[in-house]
């Protein structure tokens, strides 16, 4: 059955960096993979997405210029490189496989979700 496993979260100081990974079984069954996050007491929000076949990317405004999404199709893995992290980036980060065919203008919601990885940005 489909499985998504996130890794790479941790504790980092403001201005620091982390690289999240999402390993996905049945990876090529999906067109678009998304990253979401959820801060304590807040709703889950879309962060970024990537189209598997051609690498088309989209970023939410609050991370644009700081985060980079990428994929390695040979490894069935999607990455989220997070630079210049801010305290407000703190939260649980989830990757998700979607039914969307395109990654443009919005982060498509997930149909299948990973367990999440905790990111804490604090001094």
């Amino acid at each position: 059955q489909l499985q998504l496993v996130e890794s790479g979260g941790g504790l980092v100081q403001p201005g620091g960096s982390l690289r999240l990974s999402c390993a996905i079984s049945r990876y090529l069954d999906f067109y678009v993979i998304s990253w979401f996050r959820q801060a304590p007491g807040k709703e889950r929000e879309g962060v970024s997405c990537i189209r598997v076949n051609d690498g088309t990317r989209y970023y939410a405004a609050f991370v644009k210029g700081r985060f980079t999404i990428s994929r390695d199709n040979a490894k069935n893995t999607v990455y989220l490189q997070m630079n210049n992290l801010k305290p407000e980036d703190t939260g649980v980060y989830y990757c998700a496989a979607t039914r969307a065919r395109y990654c443009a203008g919005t982060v498509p919601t997930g149909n299948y979700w990973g367990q999440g990885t905790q990111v804490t940005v604090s001094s």
Side-chain angles (χ1 to χ4, degrees):
Q1 296 188 16
L2 182 66
Q3 185 175 2
L4 301 93
V5 180
E6 301 97 333
S7 61
L11 175 64
V12 65
Q13 295 187 101
S17 298
L18 288 171
R19 188 195 194 202
L20 307 184
S21 299
C22 178
I24 307 161
S25 67
R26 298 175 58 192
Y27 174 77
L28 295 179
D29 287 350
F30 300 93
Y31 287 93
V32 178
I33 305 297
S34 295
W35 282 98
F36 285 74
R37 71 186 187 187
Q38 188 166 21
K42 298 181 67 177
E43 295 184 353
R44 189 172 298 185
E45 61 185 352
V47 175
S48 184
C49 61
I50 188 165
R51 196 163 185 252
V52 169
N53 64 347
D54 65 4
T56 300
R57 298 162 170 84
Y58 172 78
Y59 300 95
F62 55 82
V63 302
K64 193 172 180 63
R66 299 189 296 124
F67 291 11
T68 302
I69 191 169
S70 62
R71 90 282 195 225
D72 186 337
N73 290 354
K75 296 181 178 179
N76 292 356
T77 300
V78 171
Y79 304 96
L80 186 68
Q81 178 68 46
M82 306 186 295
N83 298 325
N84 192 25
L85 283 161
K86 305 174 181 180
E88 53 263 42
D89 294 319
T90 293
V92 179
Y93 283 69
Y94 301 88
C95 65
T98 84
R99 292 175 178 168
R101 287 184 173 267
Y102 299 97
C103 170
T106 186
V107 179
T109 192
N111 296 97
Y112 305 93
W113 297 86
Q115 84 290 343
T117 185
Q118 177 70 43
V119 172
T120 303
V121 185
S122 177
S123 59

